[in-house]
Amino acid sequence: MPMLRELTEYHTPATLDEALKLLRRRKIRTVPIGGGGSLVPDAPRDVQAVVDLSKLGLSFIEADEDGLSLGATTTLQTLLDDQRVKAYAGGVLLKALRDTAGRNVRESATLAGSIVAARGNSPLVTALLALNAQITTHAQREQTAPLAEWIPSNGALITRLSLPALPAEARAAYEKVARTPADLPIVCVAAVQIGAVVRLALGGVAERPIVMRLMDITPDQAAQHVQQAIYPATDYFASAAYRREMAGVLVKRALS
Ligand SMILES: Cc1cc2nc3c(=O)[nH]c(=O)nc-3n(C[C@H](O)[C@H](O)[C@H](O)COP(=O)(O)OP(=O)(O)OC[C@H]3O[C@@H](n4cnc5c(N)ncnc54)[C@H](O)[C@@H]3O)c2cc1C
């Protein structure tokens, strides 16, 4: 199948304003491109122009007392190689990045592109949801919202992801079940527990990873709650019943 067959323009703007102006055009269907790993094979047929984000200065990793701030065009491999990312949340983000794709893909895949293109079993988005990531976008104005509430919209450009600093007592975990250790998960679970409050995210049980907030709950109770709350689909990787069963097993592992 021809890819980006209607493409007639490739822009590499040097400023955010310029990029937004291009993306706002009504008469020519224009979309942002990060690494292109998903856009190039899967772009809607009518895309006529792409805006390459690589010159916007959005590849960065910043850390301060509020937590981590990750630029939208930072590649997954750059994140994985960073000591602050490695240390964050006991290595949960690191594990999820490793599980998301092999090194070749990670070298080109950007953080924002990977979030937009994420499937329901995305380890990265599952971990980011448990970590209560905030997403900053620019359309008419800059907006920051929890990733859990974010809905992709045409013309809005993701510029950064922020991860809150975690208190010393925070416990975080990431667990998955897959056909082989190198495969994408069939089901994955990420959990962050701070005192009695647990943020539990699950991948592989819905069209997009989901997150829930539970309080004063034992691992067994959390597993039971999750199994009752989800309605996974059956596909060629696993039945709905298997996914539900594994979700419970992984929740118990993550919280024990
Ligand atoms: C051979 C091959 C193997 C692959 N293997 C894997 C794999 O193992 N795991 C996996 O998860 N994926 C895989 N992919 C798919 C793809 O590479 C990944 O999904 C990648 O993480 C997407 O990131 P990207 O930067 O390349 O996004 P792009 O393809 O550039 O963009 C993806 C989408 O995000 C939008 N977008 C990009 N940046 C922004 C932004 N800043 N703001 C708003 N929207 C934006 C684009 O318009 C597009 O709709 C594979 C692809 C190929 C070709």
Side-chain angles (χ1 to χ4, degrees):
M1 195 175 72
M3 296 181 274
L4 290 172
R5 198 174 56 172
E6 303 298 323
L7 193 74
T8 51
E9 297 179 14
Y10 190 100
H11 299 273
T12 312
T15 67
L16 193 56
D17 279 350
E18 226 182 301
L20 291 171
K21 221 176 269 174
L22 288 162
L23 289 167
R24 273 188 214 123
R25 296 180 303 173
R26 292 248 170 96
K27 292 205 171 127
I28 177 154
R29 175 85 189 269
T30 308
V31 296
I33 186 166
S38 173
L39 182 72
V40 173
D42 295 335
R45 292 182 79 90
D46 60 342
V47 169
Q48 293 165 286
V50 293
V51 176
D52 180 337
L53 309 175
S54 61
K55 299 282 186 281
L56 298 182
L58 294 176
S59 296
F60 58 81
I61 301 170
E62 293 162 1
D64 61 20
E65 68 278 7
D66 293 329
L68 288 180
S69 183
L70 311 174
T73 59
T74 314
T75 67
L76 302 189
Q77 187 61 38
T78 303
L79 292 172
L80 205 147
D81 288 337
D82 187 90
Q83 293 306 325
R84 295 158 298 180
V85 173
K86 280 184 184 166
Y88 184 76
V92 158
L93 189 52
L94 180 79
K95 277 191 190 172
L97 285 162
R98 272 212 194 104
D99 255 3
T100 294
R103 178 148 195 161
N104 285 351
V105 172
R106 291 197 306 259
E107 289 284 1
S108 67
T110 63
L111 178 60
S114 304
I115 291 171
V116 175
R119 304 233 166 113
N121 62 343
S122 163
L124 175 64
V125 173
T126 302
L128 291 173
L129 288 173
L131 294 165
N132 199 12
Q134 307 288 306
I135 190 164
T136 301
T137 56
H138 279 74
Q140 300 304 328
R141 60 195 168 89
E142 184 183 286
Q143 262 188 314
T144 298
L147 178 61
E149 292 166 17
W150 173 74
I151 299 166
S153 66
N154 275 348
L157 196 62
I158 301 167
T159 50
R160 74 169 66 209
L161 256 283
S162 309
L163 294 169
L166 295 174
E169 81 264 26
R171 289 177 45 219
Y174 168 82
E175 298 286 343
K176 76 158 179 179
V177 60
R179 287 185 306 182
T180 74
D183 269 317
L184 279 165
I186 295 171
V187 178
C188 60
V189 166
V192 177
Q193 183 160 16
I194 303 173
V197 180
V198 178
R199 270 184 80 84
L200 200 54
L202 292 105
V205 299
E207 262 180 42
R208 296 275 299 180
I210 58 168
V211 64
M212 50 188 90
R213 190 170 173 275
L214 304 172
M215 276 189 77
D216 288 321
I217 200 160
T218 65
D220 280 337
Q221 288 168 335
Q224 211 176 353
H225 177 85
V226 161
Q227 286 177 325
Q228 284 166 1
I230 59 174
Y231 294 92
T234 293
D235 63 15
Y236 55 89
F237 284 112
S239 66
Y242 180 79
R243 287 176 194 275
R244 180 173 282 117
E245 183 66 24
M246 286 305 108
V249 169
L250 296 178
V251 165
K252 269 195 241 174
R253 274 189 207 157
L255 297 181
S256 296

